[in-house]
Every structure is written in C-alpha cells, then in structure tokens.
Amino acid sequence: MFRFDMDYGNSVIYCYEMQIETAYRRKGLGKFMMETLENCAKHWQLEKVILTVLNNNINAMSFFKTIGYILDDSSPDVLEKAEYKILSKCTL
C-alpha cells in the first residue's frame, strides 16, 4: 500500500505497507516492488520514497538498509522511545 504525499514539505511516495507471504520471500519480489516505487518517484520527480519499519522487525530493517534506505530526518528521536523508525531513499 502506498500513496503520493507531502512529508515536511517534500513531495514523496510513502510506502505504508508491504507484505510478502513467507513462501515467496527472498526471491526478489520485495526488491522489485520497492524499485517500482522508486521508479514511480523518479518519473514524477518526487524527492524520495519513505516508509515506516517497526524496531522489532529485524528482517525488514535489514532488507531496507540493504537496498539503500537510511534513517530519515523525520524519524522519531531516540528520546521519544518510539516503536518504529522512518526510513527513506532519495530519488532525485
């Protein structure tokens, strides 16, 4: 699930949810879907793709970092003790 959005003044695609059945993981489908979102963002000249990952989802955190996503400036501060992080990848 994704949508075109404004995030702190940036035009972005926000990936709200991506779920892949266990049997189909590690076959390139997640990477393909994220590359498709990144290509959409580039096509419409949006600044980045943003997503939220729960801190306890180690596999997802590792996956997104492997494909180039970094901690976004809008991610909650350590002192806020949030249960999630916001990651992003610039597309311009």
Side-chain angles (χ1 to χ4, degrees), residues 6-49:
M6 293 297 292
D7 187 71
Y8 295 95
N10 298 310
S11 53
V12 303
I13 288 183
Y14 205 111
C15 179
Y16 282 93
E17 195 167 339
M18 180 171 65
Q19 297 178 5
I20 299 175
E21 184 71 34
T22 305
Y24 298 100
R25 293 180 190 163
R26 301 184 120 2
K27 298 184 186 310
L29 185 56
K31 183 177 179 183
F32 172 79
M33 291 193 304
M34 293 310 297
E35 286 174 348
T36 300
L37 283 182
E38 293 163 16
N39 288 334
C40 287
K42 289 174 187 174
H43 176 78
W44 282 292
Q45 298 178 347
L46 305 176
E47 297 175 44
K48 55 187 168 178
V49 177

Side-chain angles (χ1 to χ4, degrees), residues 2 5 9 39 42 50-51 58 60 62 64 67 81 88 90:
F2 71 93
D5 207 346
N39 288 334
K42 289 174 187 174
I50 297 180
L51 55 94
I58 305 302
S62 176
F64 288 116
I67 63 170
K81 298 181 181 177
S88 66
C90 291

